[in-house]
């Protein structure tokens, strides 16, 4: 009996730990629906049922094929009733269900979402969802001092913000871009030498979504006030929807520096 009690306690502790570390996916806002779809509870209920069914296949080999079959069904049965908007709404429901499921691991959730987004039902150009340029996420960060190798303050970064931006190269195609904006001042410090910024994007549970490094231009002295600057990077695979927070660090100056 004693060993059974210990086993139960250990099992309960592991279950609580798994629940605590399950990832909450950032699915973004629900897609905008045409008024007819918005008011049709039967269609929305059917899509909810499809999303629930697909979520039960996560981790199984047939998930990809079932996703394709489900999308094909939507397009074949709804040619005149906004199939692309129904697909977008199904994608949001599927993501929301995975986000709330504490039994699934982070890799399982990300793999399932990748499969859903990679499986596209090819309809006519009029069936494809229209891309809307938008800022998916914006995070403001605190000011950061820039230091030299001895820890002396030689400048500062201020008004720092990180944005995940959805762009539309064509009316139906989308891509995501990371934009880092900041102000740089070193008028009371130094110039020359080498220094770089490291930006880390994280999901809601603290997992690293992307780490990106940018060079800091120290080729001159900036006097009076901070100079507005920016840096950009492409976000592949739609990972921008997973971004919840960001951290920015600055390396110390290396090589020769000169006082301003």
């Amino acid at each position: 009996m004693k060993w059974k009690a210990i086993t139960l306690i250990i099992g309960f502790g592991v279950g609580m730990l798994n629940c605590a570390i399950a990832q909450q996916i950032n699915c973004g806002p629900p897609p905008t629906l045409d008024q007819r779809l918005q008011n049709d509870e039967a269609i929305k209920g059917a899509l909810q049922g499809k999303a629930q069914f697909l979520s039960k296949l996560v981790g199984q080999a047939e998930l990809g094929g079932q996703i394709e079959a489900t999308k094909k069904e939507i397009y074949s049965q709804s040619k005149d009733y906004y199939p692309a908007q129904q697909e977008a709404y199904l994608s949001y429901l599927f993501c929301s269900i995975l986000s709330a499921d504490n039994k699934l691991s982070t890799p399982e959730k990300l793999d399932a979402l990748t499969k859903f987004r990679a499986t596209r039902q090819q309809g006519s150009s009029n069936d494809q969802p229209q891309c809307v340029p938008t800022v998916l996420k914006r995070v403001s960060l605190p000011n950061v001092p820039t230091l030299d190798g001895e820890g002396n303050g030689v400048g500062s970064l201020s008004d720092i913000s990180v944005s995940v931006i959805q762009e539309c190269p064509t009316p139906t195609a989308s891509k995501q871009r990371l934009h880092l904006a900041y102000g740089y001042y070193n008028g009371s410090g130094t110039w020359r030498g080498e220094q770089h910024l490291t930006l880390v994007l994280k999901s809601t549970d603290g997992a690293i979504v992307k780490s990106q490094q940018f060079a800091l231009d120290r080729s001159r002295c900036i006097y009076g006030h901070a100079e507005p600057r920016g840096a950009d990077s492409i976000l592949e695979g739609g990972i921008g929807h997973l971004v919840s927070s960001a951290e920015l660090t600055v390396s110390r100056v290396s090589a020769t520096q000169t006082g301003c």
Side-chain angles (χ1 to χ4, degrees), residues 15 32 37-38 60 62 85 92 98 101 123 138 159 163 246:
T32 302
L37 282 178
Q38 184 65 40
Q60 300 182 31
E62 60 264 37
Q85 289 192 20
Y92 172 76
L98 296 190
D101 193 335
R138 187 177 186 277
D159 298 321
S163 300

Side-chain angles (χ1 to χ4, degrees), residues 22-48:
Q23 182 181 23
Q24 293 294 313
I25 302 295
N26 179 9
C27 300
T32 302
L33 296 178
D34 178 87
Q35 195 63 38
R36 286 194 296 169
L37 282 178
Q38 184 65 40
N39 296 330
D40 196 322
E41 296 301 324
I43 288 181
K44 291 165 67 176
L47 292 173
Q48 179 73 32

Side-chain angles (χ1 to χ4, degrees), residues 175-203:
K175 65 178 183 179
Q176 294 178 358
R177 174 171 58 89
L178 165 68
H179 179 68
L180 170 64
Y182 62 95
Y184 178 59
Y185 175 78
N186 66 342
S188 57
T190 66
W191 68 291
R192 299 176 65 193
E194 296 180 2
Q195 203 166 20
H196 61 263
L197 317 177
T198 299
L199 179 64
V200 177
L201 306 180
K202 295 186 176 182
S203 63

Side-chain angles (χ1 to χ4, degrees), residues 18-205:
N18 288 337
C19 180
I21 65 175
Q23 182 181 23
Q24 293 294 313
I25 302 295
N26 179 9
C27 300
T32 302
L33 296 178
D34 178 87
Q35 195 63 38
R36 286 194 296 169
L37 282 178
Q38 184 65 40
N39 296 330
D40 196 322
E41 296 301 324
I43 288 181
K44 291 165 67 176
L47 292 173
Q48 179 73 32
K50 294 179 190 297
Q52 290 281 5
F53 174 70
L54 292 176
S55 70
K56 297 182 185 301
L57 298 178
V58 173
Q60 300 182 31
E62 60 264 37
L63 175 61
Q66 191 58 54
I67 290 173
E68 183 176 3
T70 300
K71 291 186 178 183
K72 184 177 295 184
E73 179 184 359
I74 290 174
Y75 277 84
S76 63
Q77 295 181 358
S78 315
K79 283 189 175 296
D80 299 321
Y81 210 57
Y82 305 96
Q85 289 192 20
Q86 291 193 48
E87 180 186 351
Y89 191 67
L90 176 64
S91 175
Y92 172 76
L93 292 174
F94 183 62
C95 179
S96 299
I97 291 171
L98 296 190
S99 177
D101 193 335
N102 292 329
K103 297 186 297 296
L104 295 175
S105 67
T106 295
E108 287 176 324
K109 292 181 181 183
L110 297 179
D111 180 66
L113 290 173
T114 299
K115 286 181 179 178
F116 191 98
R117 291 163 182 160
T119 307
R120 296 190 178 276
Q121 175 61 32
Q122 297 299 323
S124 69
S125 60
N126 293 331
D127 288 334
Q128 300 303 309
Q130 295 295 303
C131 178
V132 179
T134 185
V135 177
L136 300 174
K137 185 73 176 182
R138 187 177 186 277
V139 180
S140 296
L141 299 177
N143 295 350
V144 178
T146 62
L147 309 176
D148 64 13
E150 298 180 354
N152 301 309
V154 293
S156 63
L157 305 182
S158 58
D159 298 321
I160 307 170
S161 66
V162 180
S163 300
V164 176
I165 302 170
Q166 175 171 284
E167 298 178 329
C168 304
T170 72
T172 58
S174 65
K175 65 178 183 179
Q176 294 178 358
R177 174 171 58 89
L178 165 68
H179 179 68
L180 170 64
Y182 62 95
Y184 178 59
Y185 175 78
N186 66 342
S188 57
T190 66
W191 68 291
R192 299 176 65 193
E194 296 180 2
Q195 203 166 20
H196 61 263
L197 317 177
T198 299
L199 179 64
V200 177
L201 306 180
K202 295 186 176 182
S203 63
T204 51
D205 71 340

